[in-house]
């Protein structure tokens, strides 16, 4: 391995590496070399202003930081911004050393935090990330520091294999992993020596219940804070903290899939749960009954709501926290995934002066995002929007939101009787669960209000028969319903590892996917990379089924309505089914045929 460290990391060599990869022009390289000291000084001042806390662990500004801060565009068709990751990828190729984008979910916390001390890791920006075949893989932005790698080899008694990673990733992971580990270990030591706890299965007698670690203990507070930061960074929608016989499991749902993040020592599990219950204003002493609460957290100036649910399971209390990010819940309708035709239709009936609009789909199909985005789109200072929810998903100051509380008699049905006295223009009902709620929604629509609500049905046409099944008279449905929409979420192909391939149309047809073409069909898929954790997918988008409630559909809505006839008529009037909508996204290269089959299973 070369030892000429300073020379290889010089501004001249880094600019040359970017030129060799055709990322920048020679005129840009000359400009960077000419102004590097001025740019470096400016960036240092910006960092010092931001670092009000005086954190000594912030590493000095390098020429790579300077180039990344310029936001230069790559040469070529993609015109990607030259960021720190792209610079290190180019350097790794130049140095003929593998580049590694580290996936925090796949790191072993104990390996990272016990191989070398935190101070050594931060000083030399070296992070142990894995052991395989007798080799310890160490990620670093500076792979030519031979003495450091020799020290790590001696300390670990393993041969060291070096990979290149970005400096910001290394610094962030060192802070997160060592911080979380330190908090958990300190808490574990403080809480050591207690009797065995079998949770809700059996209760051992404890002689010293006062020895339990308090939820205000600084180590527990830090551990929970690290947990939230980690979840936000990983785009988690849910955080599960589950008690097992000997450990506590922390899992996070990302793009609809659960990943195991960490195993807590069992004696720390209850302290973590207590801290979360304390933050969400739940009864910390009550461990036998399910409880619901919420936490509001500031993330870089954006308020994120976390919905907390606790429930007693076999080995203790389980907590699930739903992360309600306003950037996800409130989106432009155009960005939700509508086809242009469906968006025009949906916009038409949400702008009706009165009537009922139904959004249908199972749990986790994105109904809340659609409804909140719709309400934000409809809001103006001239109208009064009132919602009735169970529970309130995301508090928004432009809406008057009411939480259902059955314990004190506030149900969907009872509150709807009073809500009309509040002079609303638009009413959003979280869910039509029973006849009483449906009847009150109908009355609200009949008296000149626009009512938005959800139904748990598999598709749009079946919502008409569901209303009839609930007991709503057909003539009231005909008088009030203006439109129905069903939806699902499909995972999007990761942009960074997307590749094209071809399949025979007959193969797709045999699986039930008729794309309306013959011969070989060009499709896309994700190969799997660090960004998407090897899944080939990154993020999700909606597929929709939109039905304006036409005069012909009204005529077909009778006490003995035929679901198949209603669906056939809706198709005749131009309804694009969920499956057809998914196929449009498949042919456009936005999702895969596996996702289409998974999400639209059982539909034609």
């Amino acid at each position: 391995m070369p030892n000429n460290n300073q020379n290889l990391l010089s501004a001249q060599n880094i600019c040359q590496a970017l030129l060799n990869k055709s990322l920048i022009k020679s005129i840009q390289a000359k400009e960077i070399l000419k102004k590097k000291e001025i740019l470096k000084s400016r960036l240092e001042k910006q960092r010092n202003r931001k670092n009000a806390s005086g954190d000594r662990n912030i590493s000095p500004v390098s020429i790579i930081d300077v180039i990344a801060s310029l936001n230069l565009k790559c040469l070529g068709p993609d015109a990607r911004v030259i960021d720190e990751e792209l610079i290190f990828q180019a350097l790794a190729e130049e140095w003929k050393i593998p580049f590694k984008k580290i996936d925090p979910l796949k790191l072993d916390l104990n390996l990272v935090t016990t191989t070398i001390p935190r101070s050594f890791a931060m000083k030399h920006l070296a992070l142990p990330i894995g052991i395989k075949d007798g080799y310890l893989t160490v990620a670093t932005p500076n792979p030519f520091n031979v003495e450091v790698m020799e020290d790590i080899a001696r300390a670990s008694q393993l041969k060291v294999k070096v990979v290149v990673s970005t400096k910001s990733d290394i610094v962030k992971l060192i802070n997160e992993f060592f911080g979380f580990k330190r908090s958990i270990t300190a808490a574990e030591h403080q809480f050591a020596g207690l009797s065995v706890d079998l949770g809700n299965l059996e209760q051992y007698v404890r002689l010293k219940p006062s020895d339990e670690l308090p939820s205000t203990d600084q180590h527990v507070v830090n551990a929970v804070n690290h947990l939230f930061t980690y979840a936000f960074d990983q785009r988690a929608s849910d955080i599960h903290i589950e008690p097992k016989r000997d450990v506590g499991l922390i899992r996070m749902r990302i793009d609809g899939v659960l990943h195991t993040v960490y195993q807590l020592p069992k004696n720390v599990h209850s302290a973590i749960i207590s801290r979360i219950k304390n933050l969400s204003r739940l009864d910390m002493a009550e461990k036998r009954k399910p409880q619901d609460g919420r936490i509001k957290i500031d993330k870089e100036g954006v308020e994120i709501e976390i919905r907390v649910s606790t429930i007693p399971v076999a080995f203790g209390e389980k907590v699930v926290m739903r992360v309600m990010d306003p950037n996800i819940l409130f989106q432009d309708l155009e960005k939700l995934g509508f086809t242009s035709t469906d968006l025009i239709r949906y916009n038409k009936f949400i702008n009706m002066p009165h009537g009922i609009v139904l959004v249908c789909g199972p749990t986790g199909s994105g109904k809340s995002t659609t409804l909140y985005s719709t309400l934000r789109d409809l809001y103006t200072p001239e109208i009064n929007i009132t919602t009735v929810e169970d529970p309130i998903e995301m508090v928004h100051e432009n809406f008057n939101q009411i939480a259902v509380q059955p314990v004190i008699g506030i149900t969907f049905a009872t509150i709807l009787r009073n809500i009309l006295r509040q002079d609303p223009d638009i009413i959003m009902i979280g869910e039509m669960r029973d006849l009483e709620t449906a009847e009150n929604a109908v009355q609200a629509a009949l008296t000149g209000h626009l009512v938005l609500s959800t139904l748990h049905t598999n598709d749009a046409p079946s919502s008409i028969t569901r209303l009839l099944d609930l007991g709503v008279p057909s003539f009231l449905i005909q008088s009030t319903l203006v439109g129905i929409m069903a939806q699902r979420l499909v995972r999007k192909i990761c942009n960074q590892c997307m590749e094209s391939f071809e399949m025979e149309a007959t193969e797709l047809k045999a699986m039930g996917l008729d794309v309306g073409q013959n011969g070989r069909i060009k499709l896309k898929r994700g190969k799997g990379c660090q960004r998407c954790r090897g899944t080939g997918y990154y993020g999700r988008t909606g597929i929709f089924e939109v039905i304006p409630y036409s005069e012909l559909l009204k005529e077909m809505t009778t006490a003995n309505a035929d679901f198949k006839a209603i669906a056939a008529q809706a198709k005749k009037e131009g309804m694009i089914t969920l499956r057809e909508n998914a196929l449009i996204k498949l042919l456009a290269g936005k999702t895969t045929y596996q996702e289409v089959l998974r999400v639209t299973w059982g539909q034609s």
Side-chain angles (χ1 to χ4, degrees), residues 425-441:
D425 296 290
I426 297 171
I427 301 167
M428 194 269 273
I429 303 165
E431 187 185 340
M432 282 200 198
R433 294 178 180 173
D434 50 43
L435 176 60
E436 196 178 359
T437 305
E439 282 179 337
N440 282 294

Side-chain angles (χ1 to χ4, degrees), residues 64 84-85 87-93 95-102 129 137-144 161-167 170:
I64 294 171
E84 186 189 16
E85 188 174 316
I87 295 168
F88 274 106
Q89 281 176 347
L91 290 173
E93 280 185 51
W95 297 333
K96 294 182 171 52
I97 298 171
F99 177 83
K100 178 80 172 173
K101 174 68 177 171
I102 305 170
I129 60 172
T137 302
V138 177
T140 177
N142 180 1
F144 304 119
K161 179 184 172 186
V162 182
V163 294
V164 176
S165 290
T166 64
K167 183 172 77 171
I170 298 287

